[in-house]
Amino acid sequence: VEEQVQFTFIELCRACRADEDQLAALVDEGVLVPRGDDQQAWRFEGAALQRARAALRLTHDLDLNPAGAALVLDLLEEIETLRSRLRRLGVG
């Protein structure tokens, strides 16, 4: 999804086929970081769609709670960052 695309909270729920409580829990755990002060004003960048879907898959497939999904996503991102550094250094 393009970086310029933005979703409201409800639009993101629909795009992920998730209920509001599921996505609100992901926001509470820092998996998703909206702009705006309250749920009605929340706006999410296009990349949030992929992150939300990945977190929802983790919660469903591995029976993780939102905090566990947040940890797994953070670790996966760190691994990708380290792999990128190794490629730039010509290692691996």
Side-chain angles (χ1 to χ4, degrees), residues 43-69:
R43 296 294 178 269
F44 299 87
E45 294 182 10
L49 177 60
Q50 181 180 0
R51 189 161 170 87
R53 286 180 173 168
L56 292 167
R57 272 194 312 274
L58 288 167
T59 59
H60 180 264
D61 295 349
L62 300 178
D63 198 27
L64 295 176
N65 62 19

mmCIF file of all heavy atoms in Angstrom, residues 43-69:
data_model
loop_
_atom_site.group_PDB
_atom_site.id
_atom_site.type_symbol
_atom_site.label_atom_id
_atom_site.label_comp_id
_atom_site.label_asym_id
_atom_site.label_seq_id
_atom_site.Cartn_x
_atom_site.Cartn_y
_atom_site.Cartn_z
ATOM 1 N N ARG A 43 -5.765 8.327 12.298
ATOM 2 C CA ARG A 43 -5.414 8.112 10.901
ATOM 3 C C ARG A 43 -4.164 7.237 10.877
ATOM 4 O O ARG A 43 -3.223 7.447 11.645
ATOM 5 C CB ARG A 43 -5.122 9.427 10.173
ATOM 6 C CG ARG A 43 -6.322 10.356 10.069
ATOM 7 C CD ARG A 43 -7.417 9.775 9.192
ATOM 8 N NE ARG A 43 -8.587 10.620 9.110
ATOM 9 C CZ ARG A 43 -9.637 10.556 9.927
ATOM 10 N NH1 ARG A 43 -9.657 9.700 10.916
ATOM 11 N NH2 ARG A 43 -10.670 11.345 9.767
ATOM 12 N N PHE A 44 -4.182 6.266 9.975
ATOM 13 C CA PHE A 44 -3.084 5.320 9.851
ATOM 14 C C PHE A 44 -2.489 5.424 8.460
ATOM 15 O O PHE A 44 -3.215 5.538 7.482
ATOM 16 C CB PHE A 44 -3.588 3.884 10.071
ATOM 17 C CG PHE A 44 -4.175 3.648 11.428
ATOM 18 C CD1 PHE A 44 -5.515 3.899 11.675
ATOM 19 C CD2 PHE A 44 -3.383 3.173 12.461
ATOM 20 C CE1 PHE A 44 -6.052 3.685 12.928
ATOM 21 C CE2 PHE A 44 -3.920 2.955 13.716
ATOM 22 C CZ PHE A 44 -5.258 3.207 13.954
ATOM 23 N N GLU A 45 -1.172 5.352 8.386
ATOM 24 C CA GLU A 45 -0.495 5.365 7.091
ATOM 25 C C GLU A 45 -0.697 4.026 6.399
ATOM 26 O O GLU A 45 -1.050 3.030 7.036
ATOM 27 C CB GLU A 45 0.980 5.654 7.281
ATOM 28 C CG GLU A 45 1.233 7.054 7.809
ATOM 29 C CD GLU A 45 2.701 7.360 7.965
ATOM 30 O OE1 GLU A 45 3.545 6.568 7.499
ATOM 31 O OE2 GLU A 45 2.995 8.407 8.561
ATOM 32 N N GLY A 46 -0.448 3.989 5.106
ATOM 33 C CA GLY A 46 -0.652 2.781 4.317
ATOM 34 C C GLY A 46 0.086 1.570 4.839
ATOM 35 O O GLY A 46 -0.417 0.446 4.795
ATOM 36 N N ALA A 47 1.294 1.768 5.385
ATOM 37 C CA ALA A 47 2.086 0.652 5.908
ATOM 38 C C ALA A 47 1.417 -0.026 7.101
ATOM 39 O O ALA A 47 1.708 -1.185 7.405
ATOM 40 C CB ALA A 47 3.473 1.139 6.299
ATOM 41 N N ALA A 48 0.514 0.669 7.769
ATOM 42 C CA ALA A 48 -0.178 0.090 8.924
ATOM 43 C C ALA A 48 -1.044 -1.099 8.514
ATOM 44 O O ALA A 48 -1.243 -2.017 9.316
ATOM 45 C CB ALA A 48 -1.038 1.148 9.608
ATOM 46 N N LEU A 49 -1.518 -1.102 7.281
ATOM 47 C CA LEU A 49 -2.351 -2.212 6.818
ATOM 48 C C LEU A 49 -1.566 -3.517 6.845
ATOM 49 O O LEU A 49 -2.026 -4.522 7.383
ATOM 50 C CB LEU A 49 -2.887 -1.934 5.418
ATOM 51 C CG LEU A 49 -3.713 -3.046 4.775
ATOM 52 C CD1 LEU A 49 -4.953 -3.366 5.606
ATOM 53 C CD2 LEU A 49 -4.101 -2.645 3.355
ATOM 54 N N GLN A 50 -0.376 -3.511 6.295
ATOM 55 C CA GLN A 50 0.456 -4.717 6.279
ATOM 56 C C GLN A 50 0.830 -5.139 7.700
ATOM 57 O O GLN A 50 0.782 -6.320 8.045
ATOM 58 C CB GLN A 50 1.720 -4.474 5.452
ATOM 59 C CG GLN A 50 2.626 -5.678 5.373
ATOM 60 C CD GLN A 50 3.867 -5.404 4.551
ATOM 61 O OE1 GLN A 50 4.066 -4.304 4.032
ATOM 62 N NE2 GLN A 50 4.708 -6.388 4.417
ATOM 63 N N ARG A 51 1.191 -4.181 8.525
ATOM 64 C CA ARG A 51 1.576 -4.482 9.907
ATOM 65 C C ARG A 51 0.391 -5.042 10.696
ATOM 66 O O ARG A 51 0.541 -6.001 11.444
ATOM 67 C CB ARG A 51 2.131 -3.230 10.567
ATOM 68 C CG ARG A 51 2.762 -3.488 11.920
ATOM 69 C CD ARG A 51 3.691 -2.344 12.291
ATOM 70 N NE ARG A 51 4.137 -2.435 13.659
ATOM 71 C CZ ARG A 51 5.200 -3.122 14.054
ATOM 72 N NH1 ARG A 51 5.924 -3.771 13.171
ATOM 73 N NH2 ARG A 51 5.554 -3.152 15.324
ATOM 74 N N ALA A 52 -0.779 -4.458 10.511
ATOM 75 C CA ALA A 52 -1.976 -4.947 11.210
ATOM 76 C C ALA A 52 -2.318 -6.363 10.769
ATOM 77 O O ALA A 52 -2.611 -7.230 11.603
ATOM 78 C CB ALA A 52 -3.150 -4.009 10.957
ATOM 79 N N ARG A 53 -2.266 -6.607 9.477
ATOM 80 C CA ARG A 53 -2.565 -7.958 8.985
ATOM 81 C C ARG A 53 -1.573 -8.980 9.518
ATOM 82 O O ARG A 53 -1.954 -10.087 9.899
ATOM 83 C CB ARG A 53 -2.585 -7.977 7.462
ATOM 84 C CG ARG A 53 -3.821 -7.329 6.873
ATOM 85 C CD ARG A 53 -3.803 -7.358 5.367
ATOM 86 N NE ARG A 53 -5.061 -6.882 4.817
ATOM 87 C CZ ARG A 53 -5.241 -6.587 3.552
ATOM 88 N NH1 ARG A 53 -4.239 -6.735 2.682
ATOM 89 N NH2 ARG A 53 -6.402 -6.157 3.126
ATOM 90 N N ALA A 54 -0.299 -8.619 9.560
ATOM 91 C CA ALA A 54 0.718 -9.533 10.091
ATOM 92 C C ALA A 54 0.455 -9.813 11.570
ATOM 93 O O ALA A 54 0.527 -10.962 12.016
ATOM 94 C CB ALA A 54 2.110 -8.949 9.892
ATOM 95 N N ALA A 55 0.149 -8.787 12.330
ATOM 96 C CA ALA A 55 -0.127 -8.966 13.760
ATOM 97 C C ALA A 55 -1.364 -9.830 13.978
ATOM 98 O O ALA A 55 -1.374 -10.701 14.860
ATOM 99 C CB ALA A 55 -0.305 -7.600 14.433
ATOM 100 N N LEU A 56 -2.381 -9.609 13.179
ATOM 101 C CA LEU A 56 -3.603 -10.413 13.310
ATOM 102 C C LEU A 56 -3.347 -11.874 12.955
ATOM 103 O O LEU A 56 -3.884 -12.775 13.605
ATOM 104 C CB LEU A 56 -4.722 -9.820 12.450
ATOM 105 C CG LEU A 56 -5.256 -8.464 12.926
ATOM 106 C CD1 LEU A 56 -6.114 -7.822 11.846
ATOM 107 C CD2 LEU A 56 -6.014 -8.608 14.240
ATOM 108 N N ARG A 57 -2.507 -12.114 11.942
ATOM 109 C CA ARG A 57 -2.143 -13.498 11.603
ATOM 110 C C ARG A 57 -1.400 -14.152 12.758
ATOM 111 O O ARG A 57 -1.646 -15.308 13.095
ATOM 112 C CB ARG A 57 -1.270 -13.535 10.345
ATOM 113 C CG ARG A 57 -2.055 -13.595 9.055
ATOM 114 C CD ARG A 57 -1.181 -13.960 7.856
ATOM 115 N NE ARG A 57 0.051 -13.196 7.758
ATOM 116 C CZ ARG A 57 0.163 -12.000 7.173
ATOM 117 N NH1 ARG A 57 -0.897 -11.436 6.628
ATOM 118 N NH2 ARG A 57 1.318 -11.385 7.116
ATOM 119 N N LEU A 58 -0.486 -13.414 13.367
ATOM 120 C CA LEU A 58 0.262 -13.958 14.497
ATOM 121 C C LEU A 58 -0.660 -14.292 15.663
ATOM 122 O O LEU A 58 -0.519 -15.338 16.292
ATOM 123 C CB LEU A 58 1.342 -12.974 14.954
ATOM 124 C CG LEU A 58 2.536 -12.823 14.031
ATOM 125 C CD1 LEU A 58 3.363 -11.606 14.435
ATOM 126 C CD2 LEU A 58 3.384 -14.086 14.051
ATOM 127 N N THR A 59 -1.593 -13.407 15.948
ATOM 128 C CA THR A 59 -2.505 -13.668 17.061
ATOM 129 C C THR A 59 -3.387 -14.869 16.776
ATOM 130 O O THR A 59 -3.674 -15.656 17.671
ATOM 131 C CB THR A 59 -3.388 -12.444 17.397
ATOM 132 O OG1 THR A 59 -4.151 -12.073 16.254
ATOM 133 C CG2 THR A 59 -2.549 -11.269 17.863
ATOM 134 N N HIS A 60 -3.765 -15.021 15.521
ATOM 135 C CA HIS A 60 -4.642 -16.140 15.153
ATOM 136 C C HIS A 60 -3.868 -17.440 14.995
ATOM 137 O O HIS A 60 -4.176 -18.448 15.629
ATOM 138 C CB HIS A 60 -5.386 -15.818 13.856
ATOM 139 C CG HIS A 60 -6.289 -16.911 13.417
ATOM 140 N ND1 HIS A 60 -5.901 -17.855 12.488
ATOM 141 C CD2 HIS A 60 -7.544 -17.240 13.787
ATOM 142 C CE1 HIS A 60 -6.880 -18.712 12.303
ATOM 143 N NE2 HIS A 60 -7.891 -18.363 13.078
ATOM 144 N N ASP A 61 -2.834 -17.426 14.152
ATOM 145 C CA ASP A 61 -2.113 -18.649 13.814
ATOM 146 C C ASP A 61 -1.293 -19.211 14.975
ATOM 147 O O ASP A 61 -1.196 -20.425 15.137
ATOM 148 C CB ASP A 61 -1.184 -18.427 12.616
ATOM 149 C CG ASP A 61 -1.944 -18.117 11.336
ATOM 150 O OD1 ASP A 61 -3.181 -18.267 11.312
ATOM 151 O OD2 ASP A 61 -1.287 -17.713 10.356
ATOM 152 N N LEU A 62 -0.689 -18.336 15.757
ATOM 153 C CA LEU A 62 0.169 -18.783 16.850
ATOM 154 C C LEU A 62 -0.487 -18.598 18.218
ATOM 155 O O LEU A 62 0.142 -18.835 19.246
ATOM 156 C CB LEU A 62 1.509 -18.045 16.823
ATOM 157 C CG LEU A 62 2.341 -18.230 15.550
ATOM 158 C CD1 LEU A 62 3.615 -17.414 15.625
ATOM 159 C CD2 LEU A 62 2.644 -19.699 15.311
ATOM 160 N N ASP A 63 -1.727 -18.144 18.202
ATOM 161 C CA ASP A 63 -2.491 -17.937 19.435
ATOM 162 C C ASP A 63 -1.752 -17.003 20.398
ATOM 163 O O ASP A 63 -1.676 -17.251 21.595
ATOM 164 C CB ASP A 63 -2.795 -19.283 20.106
ATOM 165 C CG ASP A 63 -3.935 -19.163 21.111
ATOM 166 O OD1 ASP A 63 -4.795 -18.278 20.938
ATOM 167 O OD2 ASP A 63 -3.948 -19.944 22.084
ATOM 168 N N LEU A 64 -1.180 -15.932 19.826
ATOM 169 C CA LEU A 64 -0.480 -14.937 20.634
ATOM 170 C C LEU A 64 -1.443 -13.844 21.063
ATOM 171 O O LEU A 64 -2.407 -13.540 20.356
ATOM 172 C CB LEU A 64 0.657 -14.292 19.828
ATOM 173 C CG LEU A 64 1.812 -15.182 19.419
ATOM 174 C CD1 LEU A 64 2.778 -14.393 18.545
ATOM 175 C CD2 LEU A 64 2.521 -15.736 20.629
ATOM 176 N N ASN A 65 -1.151 -13.234 22.182
ATOM 177 C CA ASN A 65 -1.913 -12.046 22.558
ATOM 178 C C ASN A 65 -1.288 -10.848 21.836
ATOM 179 O O ASN A 65 -0.221 -10.980 21.220
ATOM 180 C CB ASN A 65 -1.934 -11.867 24.080
ATOM 181 C CG ASN A 65 -0.562 -11.660 24.688
ATOM 182 O OD1 ASN A 65 0.392 -11.305 24.013
ATOM 183 N ND2 ASN A 65 -0.455 -11.888 25.983
ATOM 184 N N PRO A 66 -1.923 -9.673 21.864
ATOM 185 C CA PRO A 66 -1.368 -8.520 21.144
ATOM 186 C C PRO A 66 0.051 -8.159 21.567
ATOM 187 O O PRO A 66 0.866 -7.764 20.738
ATOM 188 C CB PRO A 66 -2.357 -7.397 21.465
ATOM 189 C CG PRO A 66 -3.652 -8.113 21.671
ATOM 190 C CD PRO A 66 -3.271 -9.389 22.379
ATOM 191 N N ALA A 67 0.388 -8.318 22.844
ATOM 192 C CA ALA A 67 1.745 -8.013 23.298
ATOM 193 C C ALA A 67 2.753 -8.974 22.668
ATOM 194 O O ALA A 67 3.847 -8.568 22.264
ATOM 195 C CB ALA A 67 1.824 -8.086 24.827
ATOM 196 N N GLY A 68 2.391 -10.240 22.564
ATOM 197 C CA GLY A 68 3.263 -11.225 21.927
ATOM 198 C C GLY A 68 3.452 -10.932 20.455
ATOM 199 O O GLY A 68 4.560 -11.039 19.927
ATOM 200 N N ALA A 69 2.374 -10.550 19.787
ATOM 201 C CA ALA A 69 2.465 -10.201 18.372
ATOM 202 C C ALA A 69 3.357 -8.976 18.177
ATOM 203 O O ALA A 69 4.154 -8.928 17.239
ATOM 204 C CB ALA A 69 1.070 -9.943 17.795
#
